[in-house]
Amino acid sequence: MHKDATIYVAGHRGLVGQALVRALLAQGYQRLILRTSAELDLRDQRAVEHLFERERPEYVFLSAARVGGILANSIYPATFLYDNLAIELNVIHAAYRHNVKKLEFLGSSCIYPKLAPQPIPEEALLTGPLEATNEAYAIAKIAGIKLAQAYRRQYGFRSICLMPTNLYGPGDNFDLQSSHVLPAMIRKFHEGKARGGPVTLWGSGQPRREFLHVDDLASAAIHLMLHWDEDDIINVGTGTDVSIAEAAELIRGIVGYEGEVVYDTSKPDGTPRKLLNVSRLLATNWRPEISLADGIRDTYSWYLNYNVTAAA
């Protein structure tokens, strides 16, 4: 992927897409194709075909997706399934038809069975039932993987599939109705500090999660675009995890909240543990650089600045 290559970042306004754009520009890639969802509806096959025909991207990072936490997935399963299937079908097919040199599909660790062995190897895919609270999203992502692999096997289309762990960082979604666990906790502790009183968190606090800063993911994504060209999927994570309660205590300290933390055990925990086996990734000579504490500080700083900007 030479520095003057034409690169399409699908979903550049999302958490991952923003980080990819930052990282690509920092590494000297200037010819980026970027479209907002208002400018291009990736669910519209004709519109996607028109973009590829007109812009002729050489490389594609497919980070566009309908995303959300447990609540959003449980309320809108049809939306999560339809939107993500449509995006994947249209972008992968258009990339193949218009001779894209290489496509990178960003999946998710939720593709793995609820009770997968820990840490989760790539071979665990499709070996057991999924976590019910995000089944629709997971099924859509699995379909995207299989589609990319099928185009490689049938047509020789160069596609690779990355499975990131739980992501967070600047540009995250902090809406309590649709956000993931870490940004939701940052907002809850921030608002708890401002108003006083207890902070209530979903579940027992016992499930364990692996968290990867989105800038580390972007670094890995570019590295793998350059150095990975296999049919097999590849996990992207840190190889370490913490309990939700441990993450909450870390966030509490960074935010400066000194009140009571209440765990609402009537709410679902989700998967008991989700830690990726990243030996395949480490073998490519890539390592994460941002610690969880530093990443949370960075994310909280962005959240504070975002709130100030939004209120101005």
Side-chain angles (χ1 to χ4, degrees), residues 93-262:
H93 185 65
Y96 157 68
R97 277 179 37 81
H98 295 282
N99 301 311
V100 165
K101 293 180 179 178
K102 193 172 182 182
L103 177 143
E104 181 176 285
F105 174 69
L106 278 296
S108 167
S109 59
C110 74
I111 63 164
Y112 293 117
K114 177 176 182 176
L115 300 179
Q118 302 290 327
I120 307 172
E122 288 88 351
E123 293 79 8
L125 179 63
L126 295 178
T127 59
L130 299 165
E131 163 57 43
T133 55
N134 59 14
E135 184 181 68
Y137 181 73
I139 287 173
K141 285 297 183 181
I142 292 169
I145 293 167
K146 293 303 180 182
L147 185 68
Q149 290 176 334
Y151 272 67
R152 172 185 277 269
R153 293 168 189 171
Q154 184 171 339
Y155 302 119
F157 177 62
R158 294 176 67 204
S159 60
I160 59 173
C161 299
L162 278 56
M163 300 304 117
T165 190
N166 299 285
L167 302 172
Y168 72 99
D172 213 335
N173 171 24
F174 292 85
D175 183 333
L176 296 180
Q177 298 300 308
S178 59
S179 64
H180 289 106
V181 59
L182 200 147
M185 289 197 294
I186 289 175
R187 177 171 174 177
K188 285 185 175 183
F189 281 118
H190 174 75
E191 293 181 350
K193 178 183 177 182
R195 71 169 188 273
V199 165
T200 301
L201 302 179
W202 275 33
S204 66
Q206 298 309 304
R208 300 187 67 84
R209 292 291 182 269
E210 176 185 21
F211 295 106
L212 179 69
H213 192 283
V214 71
D215 286 343
D216 271 341
L217 171 63
S219 166
I222 297 171
H223 171 81
L224 292 170
M225 182 68 96
L226 296 170
H227 301 291
W228 182 259
D229 196 16
E230 304 295 330
D231 185 52
D232 295 328
I233 62 177
I234 184 167
N235 289 336
V236 181
T238 64
T240 60
D241 63 359
V242 295
S243 71
I244 297 299
E246 290 169 335
E249 287 303 307
L250 189 57
I251 295 168
R252 178 217 281 265
I254 290 169
V255 172
Y257 172 74
E258 298 179 350
E260 180 186 7
V261 179
V262 177

Side-chain angles (χ1 to χ4, degrees), residues 69-80:
I70 289 176
L71 181 61
N73 274 270
S74 62
I75 296 174
Y76 308 111
T79 302
F80 275 80

